[in-house]
PDB file of all heavy atoms in Angstrom:
ATOM      1  N   GLU A  59      14.011  -4.074   7.223  1.00  0.00           N
ATOM      2  CA  GLU A  59      15.154  -4.809   6.686  1.00  0.00           C
ATOM      3  C   GLU A  59      14.762  -5.702   5.506  1.00  0.00           C
ATOM      4  O   GLU A  59      15.572  -5.946   4.615  1.00  0.00           O
ATOM      5  CB  GLU A  59      15.766  -5.685   7.790  1.00  0.00           C
ATOM      6  CG  GLU A  59      17.115  -6.293   7.431  1.00  0.00           C
ATOM      7  CD  GLU A  59      18.210  -5.261   7.277  1.00  0.00           C
ATOM      8  OE1 GLU A  59      18.129  -4.197   7.942  1.00  0.00           O
ATOM      9  OE2 GLU A  59      19.135  -5.503   6.486  1.00  0.00           O
ATOM     10  N   GLU A  60      13.510  -6.178   5.486  1.00  0.00           N
ATOM     11  CA  GLU A  60      13.123  -7.155   4.475  1.00  0.00           C
ATOM     12  C   GLU A  60      11.739  -6.852   3.921  1.00  0.00           C
ATOM     13  O   GLU A  60      10.895  -6.255   4.592  1.00  0.00           O
ATOM     14  CB  GLU A  60      13.105  -8.570   5.080  1.00  0.00           C
ATOM     15  CG  GLU A  60      14.451  -9.054   5.598  1.00  0.00           C
ATOM     16  CD  GLU A  60      14.340 -10.409   6.283  1.00  0.00           C
ATOM     17  OE1 GLU A  60      13.193 -10.852   6.530  1.00  0.00           O
ATOM     18  OE2 GLU A  60      15.385 -11.008   6.565  1.00  0.00           O
ATOM     19  N   GLN A  61      11.531  -7.294   2.682  1.00  0.00           N
ATOM     20  CA  GLN A  61      10.180  -7.302   2.126  1.00  0.00           C
ATOM     21  C   GLN A  61       9.375  -8.422   2.776  1.00  0.00           C
ATOM     22  O   GLN A  61       9.930  -9.411   3.250  1.00  0.00           O
ATOM     23  CB  GLN A  61      10.251  -7.549   0.618  1.00  0.00           C
ATOM     24  CG  GLN A  61      11.023  -6.516  -0.169  1.00  0.00           C
ATOM     25  CD  GLN A  61      11.451  -7.038  -1.525  1.00  0.00           C
ATOM     26  OE1 GLN A  61      12.528  -7.581  -1.662  1.00  0.00           O
ATOM     27  NE2 GLN A  61      10.590  -6.871  -2.532  1.00  0.00           N
ATOM     28  N   LEU A  62       8.075  -8.264   2.802  1.00  0.00           N
ATOM     29  CA  LEU A  62       7.198  -9.327   3.272  1.00  0.00           C
ATOM     30  C   LEU A  62       7.221 -10.460   2.250  1.00  0.00           C
ATOM     31  O   LEU A  62       7.029 -10.236   1.050  1.00  0.00           O
ATOM     32  CB  LEU A  62       5.782  -8.799   3.455  1.00  0.00           C
ATOM     33  CG  LEU A  62       4.726  -9.817   3.902  1.00  0.00           C
ATOM     34  CD1 LEU A  62       5.071 -10.398   5.263  1.00  0.00           C
ATOM     35  CD2 LEU A  62       3.341  -9.167   3.927  1.00  0.00           C
ATOM     36  N   ALA A  63       7.472 -11.681   2.707  1.00  0.00           N
ATOM     37  CA  ALA A  63       7.509 -12.844   1.812  1.00  0.00           C
ATOM     38  C   ALA A  63       6.850 -14.029   2.507  1.00  0.00           C
ATOM     39  O   ALA A  63       7.000 -14.210   3.715  1.00  0.00           O
ATOM     40  CB  ALA A  63       8.950 -13.171   1.422  1.00  0.00           C
ATOM     41  N   PHE A  64       6.136 -14.849   1.745  1.00  0.00           N
ATOM     42  CA  PHE A  64       5.478 -16.026   2.295  1.00  0.00           C
ATOM     43  C   PHE A  64       5.163 -16.993   1.162  1.00  0.00           C
ATOM     44  O   PHE A  64       5.284 -16.648  -0.027  1.00  0.00           O
ATOM     45  CB  PHE A  64       4.203 -15.653   3.057  1.00  0.00           C
ATOM     46  CG  PHE A  64       3.225 -14.822   2.256  1.00  0.00           C
ATOM     47  CD1 PHE A  64       2.213 -15.421   1.516  1.00  0.00           C
ATOM     48  CD2 PHE A  64       3.298 -13.433   2.264  1.00  0.00           C
ATOM     49  CE1 PHE A  64       1.308 -14.669   0.790  1.00  0.00           C
ATOM     50  CE2 PHE A  64       2.399 -12.669   1.533  1.00  0.00           C
ATOM     51  CZ  PHE A  64       1.405 -13.285   0.802  1.00  0.00           C
ATOM     52  N   THR A  65       4.781 -18.215   1.518  1.00  0.00           N
ATOM     53  CA  THR A  65       4.411 -19.224   0.522  1.00  0.00           C
ATOM     54  C   THR A  65       3.052 -19.812   0.869  1.00  0.00           C
ATOM     55  O   THR A  65       2.638 -19.818   2.026  1.00  0.00           O
ATOM     56  CB  THR A  65       5.441 -20.366   0.448  1.00  0.00           C
ATOM     57  OG1 THR A  65       5.498 -21.037   1.718  1.00  0.00           O
ATOM     58  CG2 THR A  65       6.826 -19.828   0.099  1.00  0.00           C
ATOM     59  N   PHE A  66       2.356 -20.307  -0.133  1.00  0.00           N
ATOM     60  CA  PHE A  66       1.154 -21.103   0.088  1.00  0.00           C
ATOM     61  C   PHE A  66       0.988 -22.041  -1.097  1.00  0.00           C
ATOM     62  O   PHE A  66       1.628 -21.869  -2.147  1.00  0.00           O
ATOM     63  CB  PHE A  66      -0.083 -20.233   0.313  1.00  0.00           C
ATOM     64  CG  PHE A  66      -0.491 -19.378  -0.861  1.00  0.00           C
ATOM     65  CD1 PHE A  66      -1.497 -19.784  -1.745  1.00  0.00           C
ATOM     66  CD2 PHE A  66       0.103 -18.138  -1.080  1.00  0.00           C
ATOM     67  CE1 PHE A  66      -1.887 -18.993  -2.808  1.00  0.00           C
ATOM     68  CE2 PHE A  66      -0.266 -17.332  -2.154  1.00  0.00           C
ATOM     69  CZ  PHE A  66      -1.266 -17.762  -3.017  1.00  0.00           C
ATOM     70  N   GLN A  67       0.149 -23.054  -0.925  1.00  0.00           N
ATOM     71  CA  GLN A  67      -0.014 -24.081  -1.945  1.00  0.00           C
ATOM     72  C   GLN A  67      -1.427 -24.064  -2.525  1.00  0.00           C
ATOM     73  O   GLN A  67      -2.384 -23.697  -1.833  1.00  0.00           O
ATOM     74  CB  GLN A  67       0.297 -25.464  -1.350  1.00  0.00           C
ATOM     75  CG  GLN A  67       1.745 -25.603  -0.894  1.00  0.00           C
ATOM     76  CD  GLN A  67       2.005 -26.918  -0.197  1.00  0.00           C
ATOM     77  OE1 GLN A  67       1.099 -27.544   0.358  1.00  0.00           O
ATOM     78  NE2 GLN A  67       3.261 -27.353  -0.195  1.00  0.00           N
ATOM     79  N   VAL A  68      -1.517 -24.444  -3.784  1.00  0.00           N
ATOM     80  CA  VAL A  68      -2.806 -24.473  -4.465  1.00  0.00           C
ATOM     81  C   VAL A  68      -2.961 -25.810  -5.186  1.00  0.00           C
ATOM     82  O   VAL A  68      -1.969 -26.467  -5.533  1.00  0.00           O
ATOM     83  CB  VAL A  68      -2.946 -23.324  -5.487  1.00  0.00           C
ATOM     84  CG1 VAL A  68      -2.946 -21.978  -4.785  1.00  0.00           C
ATOM     85  CG2 VAL A  68      -1.830 -23.380  -6.533  1.00  0.00           C
ATOM     86  N   ALA A  69      -4.194 -26.216  -5.413  1.00  0.00           N
ATOM     87  CA  ALA A  69      -4.489 -27.456  -6.130  1.00  0.00           C
ATOM     88  C   ALA A  69      -5.538 -27.191  -7.191  1.00  0.00           C
ATOM     89  O   ALA A  69      -6.360 -26.276  -7.079  1.00  0.00           O
ATOM     90  CB  ALA A  69      -4.987 -28.532  -5.162  1.00  0.00           C
ATOM     91  N   ARG A  70      -5.510 -28.009  -8.230  1.00  0.00           N
ATOM     92  CA  ARG A  70      -6.514 -27.968  -9.304  1.00  0.00           C
ATOM     93  C   ARG A  70      -7.716 -28.777  -8.825  1.00  0.00           C
ATOM     94  O   ARG A  70      -7.630 -29.976  -8.587  1.00  0.00           O
ATOM     95  CB  ARG A  70      -5.915 -28.563 -10.567  1.00  0.00           C
ATOM     96  CG  ARG A  70      -6.924 -28.925 -11.653  1.00  0.00           C
ATOM     97  CD  ARG A  70      -7.475 -27.691 -12.348  1.00  0.00           C
ATOM     98  NE  ARG A  70      -8.133 -28.042 -13.591  1.00  0.00           N
ATOM     99  CZ  ARG A  70      -9.429 -28.367 -13.713  1.00  0.00           C
ATOM    100  NH1 ARG A  70     -10.196 -28.409 -12.637  1.00  0.00           N
ATOM    101  NH2 ARG A  70      -9.940 -28.642 -14.895  1.00  0.00           N
ATOM    102  N   ILE A  71      -8.849 -28.094  -8.643  1.00  0.00           N
ATOM    103  CA  ILE A  71     -10.063 -28.720  -8.108  1.00  0.00           C
ATOM    104  C   ILE A  71     -11.218 -28.517  -9.080  1.00  0.00           C
ATOM    105  O   ILE A  71     -11.370 -27.440  -9.659  1.00  0.00           O
ATOM    106  CB  ILE A  71     -10.431 -28.108  -6.738  1.00  0.00           C
ATOM    107  CG1 ILE A  71      -9.311 -28.320  -5.719  1.00  0.00           C
ATOM    108  CG2 ILE A  71     -11.736 -28.682  -6.217  1.00  0.00           C
ATOM    109  CD1 ILE A  71      -9.170 -29.734  -5.224  1.00  0.00           C
ATOM    110  N   ASN A  72     -12.031 -29.542  -9.232  1.00  0.00           N
ATOM    111  CA  ASN A  72     -13.288 -29.379  -9.970  1.00  0.00           C
ATOM    112  C   ASN A  72     -14.315 -28.799  -9.005  1.00  0.00           C
ATOM    113  O   ASN A  72     -14.928 -29.524  -8.212  1.00  0.00           O
ATOM    114  CB  ASN A  72     -13.758 -30.720 -10.531  1.00  0.00           C
ATOM    115  CG  ASN A  72     -14.966 -30.549 -11.443  1.00  0.00           C
ATOM    116  OD1 ASN A  72     -15.627 -29.517 -11.440  1.00  0.00           O
ATOM    117  ND2 ASN A  72     -15.255 -31.578 -12.243  1.00  0.00           N
ATOM    118  N   LEU A  73     -14.473 -27.483  -9.044  1.00  0.00           N
ATOM    119  CA  LEU A  73     -15.344 -26.799  -8.087  1.00  0.00           C
ATOM    120  C   LEU A  73     -16.820 -26.943  -8.434  1.00  0.00           C
ATOM    121  O   LEU A  73     -17.679 -26.560  -7.636  1.00  0.00           O
ATOM    122  CB  LEU A  73     -14.966 -25.317  -8.036  1.00  0.00           C
ATOM    123  CG  LEU A  73     -13.533 -25.011  -7.559  1.00  0.00           C
ATOM    124  CD1 LEU A  73     -13.238 -23.525  -7.701  1.00  0.00           C
ATOM    125  CD2 LEU A  73     -13.349 -25.441  -6.113  1.00  0.00           C
ATOM    126  N   HIS A  74     -17.133 -27.473  -9.610  1.00  0.00           N
ATOM    127  CA  HIS A  74     -18.528 -27.538 -10.051  1.00  0.00           C
ATOM    128  C   HIS A  74     -19.112 -28.946  -9.910  1.00  0.00           C
ATOM    129  O   HIS A  74     -20.205 -29.221 -10.398  1.00  0.00           O
ATOM    130  CB  HIS A  74     -18.624 -27.080 -11.506  1.00  0.00           C
ATOM    131  CG  HIS A  74     -18.048 -25.719 -11.742  1.00  0.00           C
ATOM    132  ND1 HIS A  74     -18.613 -24.570 -11.237  1.00  0.00           N
ATOM    133  CD2 HIS A  74     -16.921 -25.326 -12.400  1.00  0.00           C
ATOM    134  CE1 HIS A  74     -17.893 -23.522 -11.580  1.00  0.00           C
ATOM    135  NE2 HIS A  74     -16.861 -23.958 -12.289  1.00  0.00           N
ATOM    136  N   LYS A  75     -18.371 -29.818  -9.240  1.00  0.00           N
ATOM    137  CA  LYS A  75     -18.827 -31.190  -9.070  1.00  0.00           C
ATOM    138  C   LYS A  75     -18.718 -31.589  -7.611  1.00  0.00           C
ATOM    139  O   LYS A  75     -17.738 -31.265  -6.946  1.00  0.00           O
ATOM    140  CB  LYS A  75     -17.985 -32.142  -9.939  1.00  0.00           C
ATOM    141  CG  LYS A  75     -18.383 -33.608  -9.839  1.00  0.00           C
ATOM    142  CD  LYS A  75     -17.493 -34.469 -10.720  1.00  0.00           C
ATOM    143  CE  LYS A  75     -17.858 -35.943 -10.588  1.00  0.00           C
ATOM    144  NZ  LYS A  75     -16.984 -36.802 -11.425  1.00  0.00           N
ATOM    145  N   LEU A  76     -19.728 -32.258  -7.115  1.00  0.00           N
ATOM    146  CA  LEU A  76     -19.720 -32.746  -5.736  1.00  0.00           C
ATOM    147  C   LEU A  76     -19.711 -34.268  -5.736  1.00  0.00           C
ATOM    148  O   LEU A  76     -20.479 -34.897  -6.482  1.00  0.00           O
ATOM    149  CB  LEU A  76     -20.928 -32.204  -4.968  1.00  0.00           C
ATOM    150  CG  LEU A  76     -20.963 -30.697  -4.741  1.00  0.00           C
ATOM    151  CD1 LEU A  76     -22.276 -30.293  -4.057  1.00  0.00           C
ATOM    152  CD2 LEU A  76     -19.778 -30.250  -3.903  1.00  0.00           C
ATOM    153  N   PRO A  77     -18.885 -34.899  -4.896  1.00  0.00           N
ATOM    154  CA  PRO A  77     -17.899 -34.228  -4.053  1.00  0.00           C
ATOM    155  C   PRO A  77     -16.745 -33.671  -4.890  1.00  0.00           C
ATOM    156  O   PRO A  77     -16.427 -34.214  -5.945  1.00  0.00           O
ATOM    157  CB  PRO A  77     -17.418 -35.345  -3.134  1.00  0.00           C
ATOM    158  CG  PRO A  77     -17.592 -36.592  -3.946  1.00  0.00           C
ATOM    159  CD  PRO A  77     -18.827 -36.371  -4.771  1.00  0.00           C
TER     160      PRO A  77
END
Side-chain angles (χ1 to χ4, degrees):
E59 191 66 29
E60 298 175 349
Q61 300 161 269
L62 178 62
F64 54 92
T65 62
F66 64 98
Q67 296 175 335
V68 295
R70 165 73 164 89
I71 300 287
N72 187 344
L73 298 174
H74 305 292
K75 180 180 178 181
L76 294 176

